[in-house]
Amino acid sequence: MLLALLLAAAASARVMDRLAGVPKDWSEVGTAAQKEPISLYIALRQQHTDALEQAVLEISTPGHPNYGMHMTRDELRSYTAPSLDTTATVTQWLVKHGIEPSVDNDWVSFTTTVGRANELLGTTFRWFEYAGGGGAKLRTLSYNVPDEVAAHIDLVQPTTRFGQLGAKKSPIFEMHRVGPVEDTTATATTKTNFAVSEDAAVCGSTITPDCLKTLYNINFTASTSPANKVAFASYLEEYARYSDLQSFEERYVPRAKGQNFTVEKVNGGLDDQKSSSDSGEANLDIQYILGISNPIPILEYSTAGRGPLVPTKDQPRPPGSNEPYLEWLTYMLAQPDSALPQTVSTSYGEEEQSIPREYALKTCNMFMQLGARGVSVIFASGDSGPGNSCVRNTNNATFFEPTFPAGCPWVTSVGATVGTNPERAVSFSSGGFSLFHAQPKWQTTAVAPYLAKIGNTYSAYFNSSGRAIPDVSAQGSNFAVIDKGYFSLLSGTSASAPVFAGIIALLNSARWTQGIAPLGFLNPWLYNNTAAFTDITTGYGGGCYGNKDLRNGARWNATVGWDPVTGLGTPLFDKLLEAAAPGVPNA
C-alpha cells in the first residue's frame, strides 16, 4: 500500500529541469542547513507570448505602420499577464507549504528555508562553488512540481542555473596599470607609454574618446533631455568611481568636465566608492559612454549578485540564492515609463551552454519586453572567439561555445576590432550561433551568404540555424581608462559595447529633437541599414586551443559581409544619423 502511494505521488509530479551531473568547473562543497534562508523566483505562464513577439517585431521594423509605437508599462503587462487561474493555482500551492508569496504580474518571488524549499520542489539544495571563485551558491541538480502546478509555470530559479557571470574582458590584455594620475612625472611617462598620437583625434596604439569619434565620423553634439538617458549595468560588486571619472574628464574629455552619473541600487546593490574590489569594468563603461555621448545623462545600475564572501560562525556559507539578471530585469520592467533609459549597455556574460534552456528563453523574453518599451539593450559578445575548451557539457563532444545573453535575438551583440586603415577583427572577439534561439528573419539575408561561403567548414561544431552573433562591432583593444587613480589599459568586447551604446544614445538624442520615438529594439533597423557600417574583412577571432579535435584551435574569419566575429562591421555615424534622424546635421 505504501509503495502504491509513493508511486502515485511520484507520477503526479513533473520534473521541470534536470542536470546530468554537476556542471564543469563546479564542485559540491557542503550540505545546506534546513533552516538556511533561500530566495526563489517563479515565472508564471503568460497568456499572450506569441502576440507580444509579433507586436514587438512590428514596433521595431522600419516601414511597418507600427514602427516606433513603443508600449507603456501597463500596455506591456496586458500581454505578459498570466490568467487569474494561473496566479491562484501557484499562490495557493505556496501558501499550502507555509510560504507567503509576492506576486508582480507574471513573477512570484518568495523567501523561505532550504528545508521548506526542498519539500516544495522535491529536491535537495546543496552548496556548490565555481573553480574560478565567486563564493558558494545554493543550487540543485533537478526539481519538480505537481502536475497541476507545472502547467502554470515556466521555471523556478535559481535552482539548476549554475552559470558564472563575468565581465567580458580579454584574457590576452585585461587591465594593465601604467602610472598614477597624481604623479606628474609618471603622467609624462604615461603619455609616452600610452602611445597616444600627437593628434589626439587619431587612433594610435591606445584608444581614447576623441580618436573613436574621429574614426567613426562622430561630430554630432547631443541635446540634454530627461526623455533620453543612457545606462550601464554593473554586477559582482563593481562600482564606477566618481573621482576616476573626474580625472578622466580632465585628461581625455575636457568638454565634459563636471558631468557625473547617477547610481540606482537594485536589490541590495551598493555604491561603495571605497571598495577594494575591482572597478575597471565599471570605470570603463562610464568613461567611454560619457566620452562618446556627453552630455546625455548616464545611469549606473548596481545590482547585488552574491552575498558576503567571508564566511562567519552564524553564516558559514554566503547566501547564494541571488540571481543578478532576474533581479535586474524584474526591477527594470517594474519601473515607470519616465524612469527607463533609452539605451543600456552590459559588458557581462557567460557560456550559453552553462545556462538552463528555459532560463535562457525566459530572460530573453524579458529583454524583448524592454525592447517593447523603447529600450535598446546592448551586450558584449565575449572574448574567446569560437570558445575556450569548445567541449559540449552534455557529452564531451567538440562544439563551439556561443555566449549568453549575446545569443538572445532581442539584444544587440557587439564584437571587437583593432587597428585602423583598415580596422580588423581582434583575435579574442567572440561570435557564433546560438544553441537555444532560432535565427530570426531579419538576420537571414545577411547571414546566409556567410554560411554558403564556409560550406561544411566546422559544420559539426555549431548550430547553423541558430541566432547569429554578433550583430555589429567596434574598437576593443587598449582603451585608456583611469581606475583607482591610475592610468590603465583595458581590452575586451566589454570596451566595444559601451562605445556602441554611446553612439545609439546620440542617435536617440537626434531623434528626440525631431519628436521621433527612440530606436528601441535595434536589430531589424540595423540589418535594414547595412550600408551604414564599415565592412571588416580581415582578422579573425580565435579559440578552442588545446581541444583534441582542433589541435591548432579554431577561428572565425572576418570576411566580406556579415561574419561571426565582427557582424555587420563598425559604425559610420554620419550614415546612421541620416538613417535614424534624416536632416539632422552631424555637427
Side-chain angles (χ1 to χ4, degrees):
M1 182 67 175
L2 177 60
L3 178 60
L5 288 173
L6 290 172
L7 289 174
S12 67
R14 183 183 307 177
V15 176
M16 296 296 291
D17 195 21
R18 173 181 288 141
L19 304 181
V22 178
K24 180 184 175 184
D25 297 327
W26 288 82
S27 60
E28 184 181 328
V29 294
T31 302
Q34 293 293 293
K35 294 184 178 181
E36 198 88 61
I38 185 171
S39 297
L40 295 168
Y41 289 86
I42 298 176
L44 301 178
R45 189 70 50 85
Q46 299 172 1
Q47 293 186 83
H48 307 296
T49 303
D50 292 342
L52 174 60
E53 182 172 329
Q54 181 59 38
V56 179
L57 283 173
E58 292 175 358
I59 289 169
S60 310
T61 301
H64 193 280
N66 292 339
Y67 180 61
M69 298 177 66
H70 301 121
M71 299 181 189
T72 66
R73 179 179 62 181
D74 291 342
E75 287 170 341
L76 175 63
R77 286 190 168 206
S78 70
Y79 281 94
T80 61
S83 68
L84 294 176
D85 181 46
T86 287
T87 302
T89 298
V90 174
T91 54
Q92 289 169 14
W93 169 58
L94 294 172
V95 170
K96 188 191 305 182
H97 283 81
I99 294 169
E100 189 64 36
S102 174
V103 181
D104 185 7
N105 201 46
D106 57 329
W107 285 94
V108 176
S109 59
F110 60 93
T111 297
T112 186
T113 63
V114 165
R116 193 162 285 173
N118 286 341
E119 177 186 307
L120 180 76
L121 300 175
T123 191
T124 302
F125 280 93
R126 300 180 183 276
W127 288 107
F128 296 87
E129 202 158 45
Y130 184 64
K137 293 183 179 180
L138 276 173
R139 295 294 186 267
T140 183
L141 299 184
S142 68
Y143 70 97
N144 59 63
V145 301
D147 276 344
E148 64 271 19
V149 175
H152 296 282
I153 70 175
D154 289 330
L155 55 80
V156 182
Q157 288 293 348
T159 49
T160 54
R161 186 256 201 274
F162 278 76
Q164 185 64 14
L165 187 69
K168 297 293 95 183
K169 291 186 290 189
S170 166
I172 301 172
F173 298 103
E174 294 203 353
M175 177 167 282
H176 294 304
R177 283 187 172 180
V178 179
V181 171
E182 70 276 7
D183 186 332
T184 55
T185 303
T187 300
T189 304
T190 295
K191 185 173 181 181
T192 302
N193 288 345
F194 267 25
V196 177
S197 168
E198 288 300 317
D199 179 356
V202 176
C203 290
S205 60
T206 300
I207 299 301
T208 65
D210 278 352
C211 87
L212 288 169
K213 295 188 87 166
T214 298
L215 182 64
Y216 296 139
N217 301 334
I218 304 171
N219 298 314
F220 177 74
T221 301
S223 300
T224 58
S225 164
N228 182 36
K229 300 182 287 288
V230 58
F232 63 101
S234 291
Y235 300 101
L236 307 182
E237 298 88 54
E238 284 223 12
Y239 315 108
R241 297 176 185 267
Y242 306 124
S243 58
D244 288 334
L245 179 61
Q246 180 181 347
S247 296
F248 187 82
E249 289 172 349
E250 291 173 353
R251 175 68 174 84
Y252 296 109
V253 201
R255 64 184 177 276
K257 285 181 66 173
Q259 182 176 351
N260 212 330
F261 59 99
T262 302
V263 178
E264 289 199 25
K265 303 171 186 177
V266 180
N267 290 5
L270 301 175
D271 179 19
D272 186 355
Q273 293 294 305
K274 297 181 180 179
S275 171
S276 60
S277 299
D278 288 344
S279 55
E281 180 55 50
N283 276 331
L284 169 68
D285 288 340
I286 180 60
Q287 290 169 20
Y288 278 84
I289 288 176
L290 177 138
I292 298 297
S293 69
N294 164 262
I296 296 170
I298 306 173
L299 302 176
E300 177 188 24
Y301 292 104
S302 176
T303 305
R306 53 192 184 192
L309 301 182
V310 180
T312 67
K313 182 178 180 180
D314 295 330
Q315 179 64 66
R317 295 286 177 186
S321 58
N322 289 348
E323 211 309 308
Y325 282 135
L326 288 184
E327 291 184 356
W328 182 73
L329 283 163
T330 52
Y331 173 85
M332 292 292 286
L333 290 169
Q335 294 301 295
D337 301 323
S338 61
L340 281 180
Q342 287 61 51
T343 311
V344 179
S345 177
T346 307
S347 293
Y348 292 79
E350 51 208 297
E351 283 185 36
E352 193 178 53
Q353 68 169 343
S354 72
I355 307 300
R357 182 177 182 276
E358 292 305 318
Y359 175 91
L361 296 178
K362 189 63 181 182
T363 52
C364 190
N365 174 277
M366 297 173 80
F367 288 123
M368 175 182 66
Q369 293 177 49
L370 282 176
R373 293 182 66 186
V375 181
S376 300
V377 182
I378 294 164
F379 271 89
S381 72
D383 300 319
S384 55
N388 286 313
S389 63
C390 296
V391 174
R392 186 158 42 197
N393 288 344
T394 54
N395 60 4
N396 291 324
T398 296
F399 204 79
F400 292 166
E401 298 164 347
T403 55
F404 168 87
C408 170
W410 301 102
V411 309
T412 298
S413 173
V414 187
T417 60
V418 66
T420 58
N421 297 318
E423 280 186 271
R424 61 188 185 278
V426 71
S427 61
F428 55 74
S429 184
S430 285
F433 299 82
S434 172
L435 304 173
F436 301 138
H437 305 285
Q439 192 175 117
K441 291 181 180 179
W442 43 259
Q443 193 174 48
T444 301
T445 300
V447 175
Y450 176 82
L451 291 172
K453 187 181 302 182
I454 65 170
N456 292 326
T457 304
Y458 298 142
S459 60
Y461 305 141
F462 71 93
N463 173 27
S464 62
S465 63
R467 182 271 204 264
I469 314 163
D471 300 299
V472 296
S473 53
Q475 288 279 318
S477 184
N478 278 6
F479 274 52
V481 175
I482 293 180
D483 182 59
K484 295 184 179 178
Y486 280 79
F487 289 105
S488 304
L489 294 173
L490 192 146
S491 298
T493 55
S494 59
S496 312
V499 169
F500 196 75
I503 288 172
I504 298 303
L506 292 178
L507 297 178
N508 279 332
S509 175
R511 290 171 70 86
W512 175 78
T513 65
Q514 291 190 325
I516 306 174
L519 289 164
F521 170 49
L522 290 169
N523 294 353
W525 181 78
L526 295 174
Y527 284 83
N528 198 53
N529 287 284
T530 58
F533 293 88
T534 297
D535 189 10
I536 307 302
T537 60
T538 59
Y540 65 89
C544 307
Y545 301 113
N547 182 285
K548 60 181 175 58
D549 295 325
L550 301 163
R551 294 186 179 181
N552 296 317
R555 59 175 62 178
W556 294 122
N557 290 317
T559 187
V560 173
W562 181 92
D563 58 67
V565 58
T566 63
L568 298 173
T570 56
L572 292 168
F573 182 80
D574 52 338
K575 293 185 178 180
L576 287 170
L577 180 62
E578 179 59 27
V584 174
N586 184 22

